[in-house]
Amino acid sequence: MATVKVDNNNFASEVLQSAEPVVVDFWAEWCGPCKMIAPALEEISNELSGKVKVVKLNIDDNPELAAQFGVRSIPTLAIFKSGQVADIKVGAAPKTALSAWINGAA
C-alpha cells in the first residue's frame, strides 16, 4: 500500500482511529532529508502493507498538528498505536534502519 497523505481533515480517521499501527512522516517540501527518505518509506509501506500504515503530513500545511505532537525538526517519524504515540524518530536514516525501527516499535 502506498503512503497516504493526511491533514487536519483526515488525521483522526487515518491515524488515531486506525486498527493497525501508523507511521506518520512529518515533512515539508523544502526539506532535503525528507525527500531522501521518501522512497524508502514508500518501499516499507508496500512491504508492510496490511501490518503497518505509512502516512505523510506536510507541516507547512498543518502546523497545528506538528505543534500538537511537539515536532521541532524534520523529518520526524512517529509511530501511533491505538491512537497514541508509541515512538518517535527524528532525522533521516537509511532504509534498513527505518525498517528495523518500524518493525521493532510496531
Side-chain angles (χ1 to χ4, degrees), residues 15-56:
V15 178
L16 302 179
Q17 297 165 5
S18 176
E20 60 195 357
V22 182
V23 176
V24 179
D25 175 18
F26 292 90
W27 72 288
E29 199 65 50
W30 48 263
C31 171
C34 298
K35 291 180 179 182
M36 286 173 44
I37 66 169
L41 289 174
E42 283 290 336
E43 290 176 20
I44 292 168
S45 178
N46 289 325
E47 291 166 7
L48 297 178
S49 182
K51 297 178 190 162
V52 175
K53 186 190 311 184
V54 180
V55 302
K56 298 176 74 65

Side-chain angles (χ1 to χ4, degrees), residues 58-95:
N58 186 318
I59 65 162
D60 288 338
D61 296 339
N62 303 279
E64 50 290 317
L65 281 172
Q68 180 181 341
F69 294 104
V71 175
R72 291 199 171 94
S73 64
I74 54 174
T76 291
L77 301 173
I79 295 180
F80 286 77
K81 292 164 102 174
S82 303
Q84 301 292 319
V85 176
D87 201 3
I88 292 179
K89 181 174 187 54
V90 178
K95 180 185 173 193

